[in-house]
Amino acid sequence: MAGAPVRSATSQSGKMKKDESFLGKLGGTLVRKKKSKEVSDLHEEGKNAINTPMLPSGTEIHPEDTMLEENAERNMLDPTSRENPKFKDLQRVLIDWINNELEEDRIIVKGLEEDCYDGQVLQKLFEKLSGRKLNVAEVTQSEIGQKQKLQTVLEAVNELLRPHGWSIEWSVDSIHAKNLVAIVYLLVALAMHYLAPIRLPEHVSVQVVVVKKREGILQTSHVTKELTSTTERHCVWFLHTLLFFFSNIFYTSLHQSLVTFVNKHLNKLNLEVTELESQFADGVYLVLLMGLLENYFVPLYNFFLTPENFEQKVHNVAFAFELMQDGGLKKPKARPEDVVNLNLKSTLRVLYNLFTNYKNSE
């Protein structure tokens, strides 16, 4: 009976040691986890400090900005510029202009970033301004579909604006990423090109933060972007656009006059021209036209009726040039190779020379 308590005490003591051992292990595990988390947090904080040096105060870095590939860069509008009263006024003018243009389509734009990024508004606006119908899906929800629509719209816009010296400050990715500066650049260019009946605020510039990744480190810098300039510059642009417009009218009229002229004579051989640039490129029609204008038959052995290569085409055009000189015309300034290479300006010069000398010929 006396030994029973001893066994109980020994058993209890063993149990306590076992519990202490378990708690010790548990406590050690918790301590290690806490230290591990602290080290991980410290490592992440250090990495962020290294990767985002010298960031402008108030600039918001999105997660995707830290995932840039090496040597890649991303642009973002500086928050102070976003609040610039003149920049806000420019946005308001552009929004009112778009809503006025698309009133019949019952489209209401409230914000440029949210309403223009998917290409729907830009498509409708370009179609209204240009009078062209673009081959795109009317409504698309997927990112791929939206970018495909933007690609089609921007290709048409760039094809229109690039010949006028516009710097293309937008892209499919920047528009779809809701880059407000890129969207405003695009809309200002369209408004100026189509002589929109609006008054754009002058001297609107914004600060853009450029984030670049070099050797794994994000580097930032500020760049000033001029969105609008002065009224004088707008007037120069207006005159340039008018000049281009009247040049197009002259070209269209000249082109039609030349087509009528050559067909008046080639129709005698049951031949007809619709494309001056391509149908005179092999020299055959040019040789036949000279014979008709000078009222003689050109022996078929003097030229290649069905030229098979570049050299034979050049021979035909050069032979036609000789016939022109035999008829008392000056040697054409264009080279035979230029005509064969579908250089429209060279072809028009040659045909215009014939037109001025034979326009009254029956």
Side-chain angles (χ1 to χ4, degrees), residues 299-316:
L300 298 181
Y301 58 78
N302 282 333
F303 67 102
F304 297 95
L305 191 59
T306 55
E308 299 177 352
N309 53 49
F310 183 80
E311 288 73 19
Q312 291 180 358
K313 294 177 183 179
V314 170
H315 169 85
N316 285 352

Side-chain angles (χ1 to χ4, degrees), residues 61-75:
I61 297 292
H62 298 283
E64 61 267 22
D65 296 323
T66 63
M67 301 298 290
L68 290 176
E69 296 181 359
E70 185 65 21
N71 296 321
E73 68 177 54
R74 189 184 302 276
N75 299 337

